[in-house]
Amino acid sequence: MPETTTSPRRGRRAAASREDVLDAVMHRYLRGGRIDVQEIAAELGLGRTTIYRWFGSRDKLIGEVVAKAGEPALQAARARAKGRGGQALLETFDNFNRFLADNRVLRTFVERERDAALRIITPGAGTVQPRMVAMITGLITDEIEAGTYVAPVEPDTLGYAIVRLAESFLFNDAAAGIRGDVDRLRDVEAAILGIGAPDSAKGASRRRARAPR
């Protein structure tokens, strides 16, 4: 009797995971593309309801990606800052703020979807702000525990203040004439950190030099 060969059964495609969704959104976000949940669901072979069950809403999904993209940037900002203590914290925050102000990807997102971007980035009940506050607070706490910095208030309060201040300068307060003014933001952060005098003097000189005569 001739032998018969049985071709292997083709298995079903493995279901996409939560991480696959984040990767797909990150790919679009980094390239300045609009994030369409229905399109991503179809691409990954998922139901849109599955994505909403995992993340809650489009805003929260994008918030996860924005926060994830910001984390290595803050780590890099700390790595570039010299020394320890309050001055190192100020350099770290200044490096990070300048990265955010100049970042083409974030700027494209905020310009294209301004209302949604502010809903995603700035609320305390969202994803981005609490994660940034936790990371900034962690950096402050590291310096306190190393004995290199004495904070003027509790670390979590200071971390929250630093993040909220940066949000105002980078995203919100065009009416006050401070949006994008990272030099002035550095001066105010220096004052909040308790190391304000030298940098404030420099900042005042910079502003006088820029003022129309």
Side-chain angles (χ1 to χ4, degrees):
M1 212 176 148
E3 289 185 7
T4 59
T5 58
T6 306
S7 59
R9 293 182 62 185
R10 185 171 297 174
R12 293 178 62 188
R13 179 175 131 180
S17 68
R18 187 180 189 276
E19 205 58 38
D20 292 328
V21 175
L22 288 173
D23 288 345
V25 176
M26 182 69 79
H27 180 84
R28 286 165 171 76
Y29 172 72
L30 293 178
R31 286 156 183 77
R34 191 176 188 285
I35 295 158
D36 184 316
V37 175
Q38 180 64 52
E39 182 181 286
I40 290 168
E43 176 185 307
L44 296 176
L46 293 169
R48 189 170 56 174
T49 54
T50 300
I51 294 178
Y52 286 137
R53 187 174 71 248
W54 285 341
F55 297 97
S57 67
R58 178 178 183 268
D59 282 2
K60 289 181 179 177
L61 170 58
I62 298 173
E64 287 271 358
V65 166
V66 172
K68 191 174 182 180
E71 288 168 0
L74 181 57
Q75 292 163 0
R78 179 62 189 93
R80 291 197 307 275
K82 298 182 177 70
R84 306 292 298 176
Q87 194 61 45
L89 289 172
L90 178 60
E91 270 194 53
T92 299
F93 303 152
D94 185 50
N95 290 340
F96 187 52
N97 293 333
R98 290 175 192 277
F99 166 82
L100 295 176
D102 294 339
N103 185 259
R104 179 188 55 79
V105 170
L106 183 60
R107 193 166 63 243
T108 298
F109 173 55
V110 173
E111 287 172 358
R112 189 183 60 235
E113 297 191 54
R114 178 154 188 84
D115 291 343
L118 293 180
R119 278 199 317 270
I120 289 164
I121 293 169
T122 61
T127 301
V128 179
Q129 188 198 100
R131 200 170 298 179
M132 290 298 108
V133 170
M135 292 184 68
I136 295 291
T137 300
L139 294 175
I140 295 167
T141 301
D142 288 346
E143 298 299 335
I144 293 170
E145 291 180 349
T148 55
Y149 177 62
V150 178
V153 294
E154 297 86 353
D156 54 348
T157 301
L158 185 55
Y160 177 77
I162 291 289
V163 171
R164 290 293 283 159
L165 180 67
E167 288 173 359
S168 295
F169 273 81
L170 296 175
F171 305 115
N172 286 330
D173 279 333
I178 62 174
R179 188 189 295 165
D181 190 344
V182 288
D183 290 336
R184 196 183 306 184
L185 173 55
R186 178 189 171 98
D187 294 339
V188 181
E189 287 184 336
I192 289 174
L193 289 166
I195 53 171
D199 287 275
S200 291
K202 291 177 190 174
S205 298
R206 284 195 298 268
R207 286 193 293 277
R208 280 196 297 272
R210 290 199 300 265
R213 298 186 181 277

